[in-house]
Amino acid sequence: QVQLVESGGGLVQAGGSLRLSCAASGRTISTYTMGWFRQAPGKEREFVAAINLSGGSTIYADSVKGRFTISRDNAKNTVYLQMNSLKPEDTAVYYCAASRLIPYRTPDNYNYWGQGTQVTVSS
């Protein structure tokens, strides 16, 4: 079992930045692809970014490409999401997740999920 706990969410003005963290426990995340997803009220959970085991390969949703950066520190068992140039449409609950399956954009392929952290971007 992998337990995931997100932190770093909050209220920020448009154009601002936030850094989300996802701390894992129970098992090392070094054997999992890690992903970030988000869910806005009334909408389905959507893929944001994913990073492979070593951190050498990343993929992003088109809506965040060039603004968000996913990274991982396997020694600290932690994954990060640096979010810059935030927009009101980025407002959502952000979840991190661990997967041993592909494709990595599909929520159903993730085995473990955190409880989420709220990000609110004001205009």
Side-chain angles (χ1 to χ4, degrees):
Q1 289 283 346
V2 178
Q3 291 79 43
L4 303 172
V5 178
E6 302 94 336
S7 61
L11 174 64
V12 65
Q13 287 189 332
S17 298
L18 283 174
R19 188 193 196 203
L20 305 184
S21 297
C22 173
S25 61
R27 188 177 289 184
T28 177
I29 61 169
S30 62
T31 60
Y32 292 88
T33 286
M34 299 299 296
W36 285 95
F37 290 78
R38 66 187 181 186
Q39 188 166 18
K43 295 187 177 182
E44 292 187 354
R45 191 166 298 190
E46 66 171 351
F47 170 78
V48 174
I51 187 167
N52 73 339
L53 274 63
S54 68
S57 179
T58 57
I59 56 173
Y60 297 92
D62 288 343
S63 59
V64 307
K65 200 173 295 183
R67 300 188 298 122
F68 290 12
T69 302
I70 187 172
S71 61
R72 67 192 297 162
D73 186 337
N74 287 340
K76 294 183 178 180
N77 231 23
T78 302
V79 181
Y80 305 97
L81 185 68
Q82 178 67 43
M83 305 186 296
N84 298 328
S85 302
L86 283 161
K87 304 175 182 180
E89 51 264 42
D90 294 319
T91 295
V93 177
Y94 283 72
Y95 300 89
C96 75
S99 173
R100 281 182 169 167
L101 302 175
I102 54 173
Y104 302 123
R105 297 177 182 266
T106 307
D108 288 347
N109 286 347
Y110 284 76
N111 309 94
Y112 303 102
W113 291 85
Q115 84 291 347
T117 185
Q118 176 71 47
V119 171
T120 302
V121 184
S122 63
S123 58

